[in-house]
Amino acid sequence: CGGSHVRHTGEIGLFKIVSESSVAAGIRRIEAVTGEEAQRYIHEEEDILMEAASVLKTTPKEFIDKVNKLLQTQKNLEKDIERLKAEGGRSAIDAMMDKIKTIGGVKVISSRVDVEKIDELKEMADRIRQKIGSGIVVLGSEKDGKVTILAAITKDLTNRFNAGSIIKEITLIIGGKGGGRPDIAQGGGDKPEKLDEALERVYEIV
């Protein structure tokens, strides 16, 4: 009760709980406003609801339905974006098939791609490895002044080439470092202007 006591509940008037929390095992704490302060609190809440409803061009009664519809629309748009990204990735992979270089009997693709995350680089590299069957894939991307490079080698070539070693060498060019397993490795740097040089270096290493 906060130390304040009343003779009867009528003295309290309007009573509005504003928060509830745990203070100890089996003990809850509630905080509330009463009387004129409760009225002010409710009016402020109403003003916020009215303003939010106005922004969404709806009424307070229909506000929740409007928000749910917007959230569903957002989910649908996010799915569409992911689908378009996947389609774009497949198109980019198909285009890269024409850029395969064969060096000493080894197929090599070292290319710049436009992706947002390292997971997208991994997925794209895996798809390319599956398409070429046997070979070395190195992909690099640049975002916000940072470079990410990933190298992937099919299992049959890991006795001759090491993805981690390739990454360690080419990341020096982009002002960074990296490493990983013999079949897949990644690294990064902060010299995006050197990305093409680093990717071209892969062919020399092979």
Side-chain angles (χ1 to χ4, degrees), residues 14-149:
L14 181 62
F15 185 87
K16 174 66 176 173
I17 294 174
V18 297
S19 71
E20 183 263 352
S21 61
S22 173
V23 292
I27 299 175
R28 309 295 293 180
R29 171 188 174 89
I30 64 170
E31 294 183 1
V33 288
T34 63
E36 291 182 359
E37 184 60 32
Q39 290 180 334
R40 281 194 293 270
Y41 182 88
I42 291 172
H43 288 321
E44 288 176 359
E45 295 275 287
E46 288 178 343
D47 289 342
I48 293 171
L49 177 58
M50 290 294 291
E51 184 176 353
S54 176
V55 169
L56 296 183
K57 295 181 172 59
T58 186
T59 64
K61 287 185 178 181
E62 298 173 342
F63 181 75
I64 296 299
D65 287 340
K66 183 75 171 183
V67 170
N68 286 332
K69 287 178 181 177
L70 287 173
L71 289 174
Q72 187 59 50
T73 299
Q74 181 181 347
K75 287 180 181 179
N76 293 338
L77 288 172
E78 287 173 351
K79 287 180 181 178
D80 288 341
I81 290 171
E82 290 302 317
R83 177 178 56 80
L84 290 171
K85 279 185 177 179
E87 291 176 357
R90 285 192 289 270
S91 298
I93 290 171
D94 291 339
M96 275 190 277
M97 291 300 101
D98 297 331
K99 299 179 181 179
I100 294 175
K101 292 185 179 182
T102 301
I103 305 171
V106 177
K107 295 176 183 176
V108 184
I109 295 178
S110 184
S111 177
R112 175 193 287 258
V113 294
D114 184 18
V115 297
E116 297 286 327
K117 305 172 183 176
I118 184 66
D119 288 343
E120 294 177 54
L121 273 183
K122 290 178 180 177
E123 183 179 353
M124 189 174 286
D126 283 340
R127 287 182 180 177
I128 295 173
R129 278 195 298 186
Q130 290 173 5
K131 269 185 170 289
I132 63 177
S134 174
I136 298 171
V137 181
V138 180
L139 303 176
S141 67
E142 183 267 325
K143 181 175 174 60
D144 299 328
K146 298 294 183 181
V147 181
T148 302
I149 297 182

